[in-house]
Structures are given as structure tokens and as C-alpha cells.
Amino acid sequence: MGPGVENAAMSPDPGAAVGVLIVDDQAPFRRAARMVLAATPGFAVIGEAESGEEAVELFERLTP
């Protein structure tokens, strides 16, 4: 492999959206955050959690 090829192979796809896990104990805030992210190019909500404990479980499964 030439210089930089190894690092390029490990880099995320520049066109891929960044996966986001929204975490907050208040549903209205989670809805608002989801709306903002839906309107922002380059981001995709892949999950929501209502507590830190739930967030850790989802993070392990969804790998945002």
C-alpha cells in the first residue's frame, strides 16, 4: 500500500451521515433535538434514550 492508503481505508465515508443518539429525560427536548437534527445535513438520529443507563445499553447496540 502507498502512503496514506492504510489511513484512508480506516476513515469513515465522508458522505455518510453521523449517527446520533439523543439522550434526555424529557420527551419534549428529545423531540426538539430530533427535529433540529433532521433539518441538519450530515446527521441521522439512530436512537433515543430517556436515561443514562438506557443510553449505555443503546450505545453498545447501535454504536452511534
Side-chain angles (χ1 to χ4, degrees):
M1 276 189 237
V5 173
E6 183 177 338
N7 289 339
M10 297 177 72
S11 299
D13 177 4
V18 174
V20 177
L21 175 62
I22 298 172
V23 183
D24 197 271
D25 63 341
Q26 297 182 28
F29 180 81
R30 291 194 310 272
R31 279 194 300 274
R34 182 179 280 278
M35 289 172 49
V36 168
L37 288 165
T40 306
F43 294 94
V45 176
I46 62 168
E48 290 184 22
E50 163 172 8
S51 69
E53 194 172 86
E54 183 182 10
V56 170
E57 291 173 14
L58 285 175
F59 179 84
E60 290 171 353
R61 256 190 310 157
L62 303 174
T63 61

